[in-house]
Amino acid sequence: MDYAALWFWIVTACFAIYFFLEGFDFGVDLLRPFLARNERERKALINTIGPFWDGNEVWVILAAGAIFATFPLWYGALLTGLYPLFTLILLALIGRGVAFEFRAQVDHRHWRVFWDVTSFIGSFIPAFAWGLIMAALVQGLPIGQAGVYQGTLTSYITPFTLFGGLTTTLLFMLHGATFLLLRLDTQSGLHARARSAALFWGAFATVAVLGFVYLGYVREELFRSFGLSNWVLPALAALTLAGIWLSLRLKRDGLSFAMSSLTIVFSVVTVFLGLFPKVLPSTLGAAYDLTIRNAASQPYTLYLMTIVGGIFLPLIIGYQAWNYYVFRHRIAVDEPKINQEIISHGTD
Amino acid sequence: MDFSTLELSRFQFATTSIFHFFFVPFTVGFAVFIALLQTLAFVRKSDDLERLTRFFGHLFFINFVVGVVTGIVQEFQFGMNWQVFSNFVGNIFGVPLALEVLMAFFLESTFLGLWWFGKDRLPSWLNLSFIWLVAIGTAISAFWIIIANAWMQHPVGYEILNGQAVLTSFWAVMTNPKGWQWFSHIFAGGLTVAAFFVMAVSGYHLRRKHEIPLFKTGLHLALVLATLGSLGVVASGHIQGQSAVRDQPMKYAAFSALWDTPEGGSMPESLIALPSNAQNRNLFSLEVPYLGSFLAFDNLYQKAQGMNELQAEMVKMYGPGNYIPPVWPVYWAFRIMVGLGGIMLLTALWGLWLWRKGKLETAKGYLIFLLIMPLVPHLANFSGFVTTEIGRQPWVVQGLLLTKDAVSPLPVAYVIASLVAFWIIYLLLIGLDVFLLTRTARAGMHPPDTELASVPAPDYTLGSDPVKLKGS
């Protein structure tokens, strides 16, 4: 079996799952200022992702760890090459992670506002930066001998990559909105506003995705190398994107969320399919491309990783799914049974 | 590559790791304490002990999240600042790191949420198993990262192929004796961090006569852990020192300030010294004869090699260069660590003695003394970190890769900017962590109905799909 290729697809799966899962918790954070009108509603929005966000985030740590073990050259070249971006992402994830926990610790309005702002910025930066990074992968980086980055900041801050960042941000907002449709009490005003938000931000997201695909086709030859059969995935991404609209109109909440999830998964797979068999194309010449051949670990490491991945990945997916099942009930928004006192303090 | 990129990257890695290392041993030990406490509550079917578990659980939560977010930085930093290192060791080092994520991170993050938020939704035996899964997860996480570090200090099960270290035996990597010694040392250290923290909090409330029977239980349980932990730290530390003589003689000589191989019939132990790297000797050293041989080899006559001799040997093996680590910080950090370890053990024994006399909960002096104790194991961990990580310089992978050759070719400005940003955020985090821990710990336990204000469980609707509540 070709373990290097297998691990390329496992890494792809990690990113797809990561963007699918953390995509909606980023989205919920990004939508909060637009949707919530008082403290009770802000709290309800946070509670929709409370038991999940931490587990969601681990998927990107796994993606990084898996790349380190199976494609060490890719790991070093990507993280060193995009150093400023990864610094920003890390700082943002730190702020965001503590914001959820610390927010509730002190009952003071300014304290909560501070953490709300922190988690908004902490979600915006990675949501944007991950899109930028995916676009930079498609575009290629000025990587020279031994995977050493030769460019400057402007090598990857291009209209195309910025558009990539905008696309993921808007797509995550749409995804967050469809997630909220599933998680919030259907009778609440917040639920109705989430539906409007899905339609509103969904329109922008659709334009952004189409724009990104167009730029990708014109500037980066994204789909030109694809054979006919490989067109299936981008086509499916487009179909599911349209499907979101339809299901929103039909008020089928589950279907809307499924469609936005699939759009994200298909888009990620499309990007990696465009890369394959490269992992990091070099803009300095094909000789410097990092591929699944020259960047991969030795067979024994890959074999070992396959064994442990084969054991633990299904287990992880199993208990994470169960976690979602345990907390499947909708969040109450309008009729708080507890914390009457806290909530009345927080209402502004 | 540039000298300052190297120095700044080293400083960044050292400090972000040390910040992270303030939170992690605490999490590892605290999880065990809480799991034991909840087990006690479960066995005795005590709602009060359940409340105490929630109280300490709340403190655990605050600290856990800081450990998690500083841990993400560690995961990315190898590639960001140490590209050459990552290329060189990825085949081997990446595996325990990936295993840490697969076996521990998912487990901790998922089951901590289930434990806290799912308390009223699932049977209590299941809830108890969650906290044990979290405790096991934190220990597994510590285990794999220590195995990865142990490989860098004592490489095993590898060969060099095309300029990369390539795995030949994962079994050898996993059973690296150095890794197991360190794991037991750090696990025991984690128990002491948590135990002395709980003792301080319990002592504080006992002095104020809050919930006396409950905080008594907390104090007793923590005292047992503090005793076991400090005994474990001392014992595993001693074993480690003895193995360092053999597998990292330069580090051993550095923390002993042993410049020249002793000439007499035995090796003395230096108690206080002023080592000088510039002159390759001690400017001053107060020594106890025979003690060095006894501590290192369990006999009075065996001798270890001094740094000057080891330096000459390494030049022969690896070519010209300076292979002596900065002795001053290593020597003193080692002594501070050992001294603090002694204080921990004595404090625990003092507590046991008071307990036996039935005076533990009322011994005012002791309870006040306990308030400064949470700092001691933290400082000991910090000193241990400095000893072991500076002590292995200039190597990043012992005998295979020098730290100076491992760094990423980065513009200096990038590293300065990130270093400043990480420092600002990390100092804020430490400040907030201490502020919130102190505040929450001092507030004590609330009546059950207001307790939820802290980290609230989501308030679910009771719609068509009925929520299954415990006992209903």
Side-chain angles (χ1 to χ4, degrees):
Chain A
M1 186 195 257
D2 187 350
Y3 287 120
L6 178 67
W7 274 94
F8 178 84
W9 294 116
I10 293 177
V11 167
T12 306
C14 287
F15 276 110
I17 296 173
Y18 174 64
F19 291 138
F20 152 52
L21 291 176
E22 187 127 287
F24 63 71
D25 68 51
F26 283 151
V28 169
D29 259 357
L30 294 171
L31 288 169
R32 194 177 52 234
F34 303 103
L35 290 183
R37 291 188 180 155
N38 55 43
E39 171 59 16
R40 203 168 58 225
E41 293 189 345
R42 274 189 287 276
K43 210 164 192 167
L45 289 179
I46 293 169
N47 282 343
T48 61
I49 53 173
F52 309 126
W53 70 268
D54 193 6
N56 295 349
E57 198 161 281
V58 182
W59 283 97
V60 79
I61 307 177
L62 178 61
I67 295 177
F68 193 4
T70 56
F71 300 99
L73 267 66
W74 184 15
Y75 175 78
L78 185 68
L79 296 188
T80 304
L82 303 182
Y83 188 87
L85 273 185
F86 281 105
T87 305
L88 279 174
I89 289 177
L90 291 175
L91 293 168
L93 291 181
I94 292 174
R96 176 176 196 263
V98 295
F100 292 131
E101 305 301 337
F102 287 0
R103 181 188 196 278
Q105 303 296 326
V106 178
D107 188 18
H108 191 282
R109 199 166 157 259
H110 293 163
W111 174 270
R112 281 193 299 264
V113 169
F114 175 78
W115 291 115
D116 284 345
V117 172
T118 306
S119 79
F120 180 84
I121 298 171
S123 294
F124 174 74
I125 290 175
F128 191 91
W130 282 118
L132 202 157
I133 290 166
M134 287 296 131
L137 277 179
V138 171
Q139 183 183 283
L141 289 173
I143 299 286
Q145 198 74 44
V148 171
Y149 184 77
Q150 311 272 354
T152 58
L153 261 182
T154 48
S155 311
Y156 52 88
I157 308 289
T158 64
F160 176 66
T161 58
L162 290 173
F163 214 88
L166 187 69
T167 307
T168 45
T169 310
L170 290 168
L171 208 53
F172 290 161
M173 288 176 83
L174 168 64
H175 191 42
T178 61
F179 177 73
L180 288 177
L181 293 180
L182 275 185
R183 296 288 296 139
L184 291 169
D185 177 10
T186 47
Q187 304 304 313
S188 63
L190 199 54
H191 188 272
R193 264 172 273 145
R195 188 187 306 281
S196 319
L199 287 165
F200 180 76
W201 294 105
F204 286 102
T206 310
V207 173
V209 170
L210 293 177
F212 181 73
V213 169
Y214 174 75
L215 279 177
Y217 185 78
V218 175
R219 289 174 50 109
E220 310 301 335
E221 307 185 351
L222 178 56
F223 304 111
R224 292 186 198 176
S225 55
F226 286 19
L228 188 65
S229 63
N230 290 346
W231 269 96
V232 171
L233 277 162
L236 281 174
L239 268 179
T240 48
L241 188 64
I244 303 172
W245 282 84
L246 192 66
S247 47
L248 282 172
R249 288 287 172 211
L250 294 172
K251 304 207 170 183
R252 296 277 305 275
D253 294 345
L255 196 61
S256 312
F257 180 69
M259 287 293 153
S260 63
S261 309
L262 287 174
T263 306
I264 288 174
V265 170
F266 288 140
S267 308
V268 174
V269 177
T270 302
V271 166
F272 281 87
L273 196 66
L275 283 176
F276 187 83
K278 296 171 197 168
V279 290
L280 189 53
S282 171
T283 51
L284 301 180
Y288 299 125
D289 282 348
L290 293 182
T291 66
I292 61 167
R293 295 282 156 261
N294 64 24
S297 284
Q298 292 300 309
Y300 177 51
T301 300
L302 292 171
Y303 165 74
L304 200 69
M305 286 292 293
T306 307
I307 304 262
V308 291
I311 295 170
F312 287 102
L313 280 172
L315 205 63
I316 290 163
I317 292 171
Y319 64 63
Q320 278 211 339
W322 185 65
N323 187 29
Y324 277 89
Y325 176 76
V326 169
F327 298 110
R328 67 193 176 281
H329 306 283
R330 290 175 182 273
I331 299 288
V333 183
D334 294 328
E335 289 170 27
K337 296 192 296 291
I338 49 171
N339 287 336
Q340 212 73 44
E341 182 196 6
I342 303 297
I343 286 155
S344 61
H345 275 295
T347 313
D348 40 21
Chain B
M1 197 201 63
D2 187 318
F3 175 75
S4 9
T5 297
L6 171 69
E7 292 307 308
L8 291 166
S9 290
R10 279 186 65 181
F11 189 66
Q12 178 165 318
F13 196 87
T15 50
T16 51
S17 307
I18 287 170
F19 277 128
H20 181 57
F21 199 60
F22 279 125
F23 304 103
V24 170
F26 191 16
T27 304
V28 170
F30 211 1
V32 173
F33 170 79
I34 290 171
L36 286 172
L37 190 60
Q38 191 168 343
T39 308
L40 203 62
F42 181 78
V43 172
R44 291 196 193 158
K45 302 200 186 333
S46 156
D47 286 344
D48 277 340
L49 283 177
E50 192 70 49
R51 266 198 313 134
L52 190 70
T53 309
R54 286 309 263 188
F55 168 70
F56 282 117
H58 184 181
L59 294 166
F60 178 77
F61 228 92
I62 294 172
N63 194 73
F64 180 84
V65 70
V66 187
V68 169
V69 295
T70 50
I72 306 176
V73 177
Q74 298 304 100
E75 182 86 12
F76 282 80
Q77 230 179 33
F78 301 109
M80 287 169 67
N81 289 70
W82 304 95
Q83 185 179 4
V84 181
F85 166 80
S86 302
N87 292 350
F88 181 71
V89 301
N91 271 283
I92 296 173
F93 189 87
V95 178
L97 216 60
L99 277 173
E100 186 186 10
V101 186
L102 284 167
M103 292 174 70
F105 289 173
F106 281 110
L107 198 70
E108 294 170 73
S109 57
T110 308
F111 286 98
L112 185 63
L114 275 165
W115 176 66
W116 189 263
F117 296 113
K119 187 179 174 291
D120 299 322
R121 308 173 63 74
L122 296 160
S124 54
W125 63 268
L126 208 51
N127 192 263
L128 177 64
S129 72
F130 295 159
I131 190 64
W132 276 108
L133 286 176
V134 173
I136 293 166
T138 56
I140 294 176
S141 158
F143 174 76
W144 285 118
I145 197 66
I146 289 166
I147 284 291
N149 187 24
W151 187 84
M152 291 159 70
Q153 310 231 12
H154 182 60
V156 286
Y158 72 97
E159 61 182 7
I160 304 292
L161 198 72
N162 304 328
Q164 278 186 322
V166 171
L167 198 56
T168 55
S169 163
F170 187 66
W171 181 250
V173 171
M174 212 171 86
T175 54
N176 190 345
K178 210 145 180 106
W180 285 87
Q181 288 163 17
W182 281 345
F183 175 71
S184 43
H185 194 56
I186 288 170
F187 186 77
L191 288 182
T192 61
V193 174
F196 282 111
F197 175 79
V198 172
M199 284 168 73
V201 174
S202 305
Y204 175 87
H205 288 293
L206 283 174
R207 270 205 310 133
R208 278 165 183 69
K209 314 254 182 280
H210 298 160
E211 309 261 9
I212 292 174
L214 279 189
F215 282 112
K216 230 168 104 173
T217 311
L219 184 61
H220 289 171
L221 186 55
L223 182 56
V224 172
L225 282 187
T227 312
L228 294 175
S230 23
L231 283 173
V233 165
V234 172
S236 58
H238 179 63
I239 295 171
Q240 244 169 267
Q242 293 199 330
S243 80
V245 184
R246 292 188 294 272
D247 56 35
Q248 284 181 298
M250 184 63 99
K251 186 196 280 186
Y252 181 85
F255 67 63
S256 307
L258 188 68
W259 290 96
D260 299 307
T261 310
E263 282 172 10
S266 76
M267 183 165 72
E269 179 73 18
S270 162
L271 293 183
I272 299 171
L274 295 174
S276 161
N277 269 71
Q279 299 183 30
N280 288 348
R281 65 185 185 91
N282 293 326
L283 304 178
F284 167 80
S285 179
L286 178 67
E287 292 171 349
V288 179
Y290 296 103
L291 185 61
S293 294
F294 180 70
L295 287 175
F297 302 104
D298 293 331
N299 71 49
L300 298 180
Y301 307 108
Q302 210 166 332
K303 285 178 285 188
Q305 286 174 296
M307 281 178 278
N308 292 328
E309 188 184 332
L310 289 164
Q311 161 73 16
E313 277 181 11
M314 283 186 155
V315 168
K316 255 186 233 157
M317 278 173 77
Y318 305 115
N322 180 9
Y323 298 97
I324 299 179
V327 180
W328 191 90
V330 177
Y331 175 88
W332 281 103
F334 179 76
R335 262 141 198 84
I336 290 170
M337 172 182 75
V338 171
L340 293 173
I343 292 175
M344 285 167 6
L345 185 57
L346 288 177
T347 310
L349 295 176
W350 181 13
L352 286 181
W353 181 72
L354 286 169
W355 190 1
R356 194 161 163 246
K357 289 178 60 179
K359 286 199 220 158
L360 180 60
E361 302 81 36
T362 48
K364 233 182 191 164
Y366 187 68
L367 296 182
I368 290 172
F369 179 72
L370 283 182
L371 291 176
I372 57 160
M373 275 309 285
L375 276 178
V376 172
H378 274 301
L379 286 176
N381 282 342
F382 167 76
S383 313
F385 193 95
V386 169
T387 309
T388 201
E389 298 304 321
I390 297 186
R392 51 91 167 254
Q393 296 301 332
W395 297 104
V396 65
V397 182
Q398 187 77 42
L400 299 179
L401 184 66
L402 291 165
T403 310
K404 71 178 169 68
D405 297 329
V407 76
S408 302
L410 283 169
V412 183
Y414 285 8
V415 192
I416 293 180
S418 66
L419 181 61
V420 171
F422 279 124
W423 262 79
I424 292 173
I425 300 281
Y426 277 31
L427 287 178
L428 274 172
L429 280 183
I430 289 204
L432 282 166
D433 191 61
V434 172
F435 165 70
L436 288 173
L437 284 179
T438 321
R439 190 175 181 277
T440 313
R442 284 171 54 140
M445 282 183 285
H446 309 280
D449 52 331
T450 57
E451 194 189 357
L452 287 170
S454 47
V455 185
D459 179 22
Y460 294 97
T461 57
L462 295 152
S464 52
D465 194 4
V467 180
K468 205 171 149 200
L469 289 168
K470 186 176 65 171
S472 65

